[in-house]
């Protein structure tokens, strides 16, 4: 699966995207990223799966695109 990072989250990871495999659901991917990048826990973010924002755990497949989105400022 392709995981996209935006804003401060991309700065923490050091890149804007990364490929992952083997995660069955969004919670397990989120847990992995929080353990690998502890600074993630200091920034509020939303998760989108295939360009749809999610608010609860969802099943994932290796063909999905997951985006981690920090708050955006704009006007």
């Amino acid at each position: 699966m392709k995981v996209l990072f935006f804003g401060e989250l991309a700065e923490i990871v050091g890149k804007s995207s990364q490929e992952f495999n083997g995660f069955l659901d969004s919670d397990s991917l989120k847990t992995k990223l929080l353990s690998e990048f502890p600074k993630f826990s200091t920034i509020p973010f939303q998760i989108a799966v295939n360009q749809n924002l999610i608010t609860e755990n969802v099943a994932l497949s290796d063909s999905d695109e997951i985006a981690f989105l920090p708050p955006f400022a704009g006007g």
Side-chain angles (χ1 to χ4, degrees):
M1 65 191 62
K2 185 173 187 175
V3 180
L4 307 173
F5 305 100
F6 293 89
E8 294 173 273
L9 301 174
E11 292 174 17
I12 291 169
V13 175
K15 54 186 135 184
S16 61
S17 68
Q18 185 171 342
E19 293 288 328
F20 288 93
N21 290 308
F23 289 95
L24 300 178
D25 57 43
S26 56
D27 280 355
S28 62
L29 176 59
K30 180 180 170 182
T31 299
K32 166 69 172 164
L33 291 172
L34 287 170
S35 69
E36 194 169 325
F37 304 102
K39 285 188 176 184
F40 260 49
S41 64
T42 66
I43 299 170
F45 60 84
Q46 291 184 295
I47 301 172
V49 177
N50 299 321
Q51 299 182 0
N52 295 305
L53 288 176
I54 61 169
T55 57
E56 57 189 40
N57 191 30
V58 299
L60 298 176
S61 71
D62 285 342
S63 62
D64 287 334
E65 180 182 78
I66 297 91
F68 284 79
L69 308 164
F72 289 97

